[in-house]
Amino acid sequence: MTRFSIIKFGSEQYKQMLDLRHRILRAPLNLIASEEELAKDKDYTLLGLFNEENNLLLACCFLTHINDDIVQLRQMAVDDTLQKSGYGRELIGHAEQYARDSNYKTMYLHAREVAVGFYLKLGYTTQGNYFTEIGIPHIEMTKNLK
């Protein structure tokens, strides 16, 4: 069983989140998050999907406020041993519901090229052309939440 949770900045769950984000998103690109970058996490809504039995983090992401209608999904990561298991889809569902409950109308994200198919299956649409971010191709994607 899984448990969805809002993660408190600086908590033990947050430390798991930092580790997962580093292993899945940064280390493969030889990137290290700066203290300044990580300090911004306190302003975001940090979300996690946990194994209910052992409280280990399975997947995480965070939401940033763009404006009253739009929220941005960022730093989506699923443990590499659990990818294609449905945990990413489950977490996105919780993130979308959280955004709806917070009265956002649109979820916005920058999808890595390798993840576009995942988001398309979940009802997201591409916007514009590919661009380079952190040295790899990304594309803007959105989903109407209402």
Side-chain angles (χ1 to χ4, degrees):
M1 294 291 296
T2 61
R3 177 180 48 80
F4 171 70
S5 181
I6 295 173
I7 297 171
K8 184 179 178 201
F9 179 79
S11 67
E12 285 302 314
Q13 291 179 334
Y14 177 70
K15 291 175 186 171
Q16 286 187 59
M17 182 184 206
L18 288 181
D19 178 63
L20 183 60
R21 284 165 44 192
H22 176 76
R23 283 188 294 114
I24 302 304
L25 302 173
R26 293 189 179 102
L29 301 174
N30 294 315
L31 297 174
I32 296 175
S34 69
E35 290 298 319
E36 182 178 279
E37 181 183 355
L38 294 177
K40 294 177 184 176
D41 284 359
K42 70 181 178 303
D43 299 324
Y44 306 143
T45 302
L46 310 170
L47 306 174
L49 190 67
F50 291 85
N51 179 318
E52 205 168 50
E53 292 177 16
N54 59 17
N55 205 35
L56 290 179
L57 183 64
L58 307 171
C60 65
C61 65
F62 62 80
L63 301 177
T64 61
H65 172 86
I66 301 297
N67 62 43
D68 288 346
D69 294 330
I70 302 171
V71 65
Q72 184 176 6
L73 177 88
R74 300 186 57 208
Q75 298 278 312
M76 176 70 189
V78 177
D79 187 286
D80 53 349
T81 65
L82 302 171
Q83 291 179 3
K84 300 191 187 300
S85 64
Y87 294 126
R89 180 176 57 250
E90 184 178 348
L91 179 59
I92 294 283
H94 287 295
E96 290 172 357
Q97 189 58 54
Y98 180 90
R100 276 187 206 93
D101 292 346
S102 301
N103 296 313
Y104 289 105
K105 294 178 176 73
T106 303
M107 183 81 78
Y108 164 82
L109 58 92
H110 291 177
R112 291 181 181 199
E113 185 176 36
V114 298
V116 170
F118 168 75
Y119 291 110
L120 287 171
K121 289 177 190 173
L122 297 176
Y124 288 78
T125 57
T126 58
Q127 310 293 316
N129 298 311
Y130 280 92
F131 58 93
T132 300
E133 187 172 74
I134 60 168
I136 58 174
H138 284 72
I139 194 163
E140 290 181 8
M141 298 186 82
T142 60
K143 182 176 182 179
N144 183 345
L145 298 174
K146 296 295 176 182

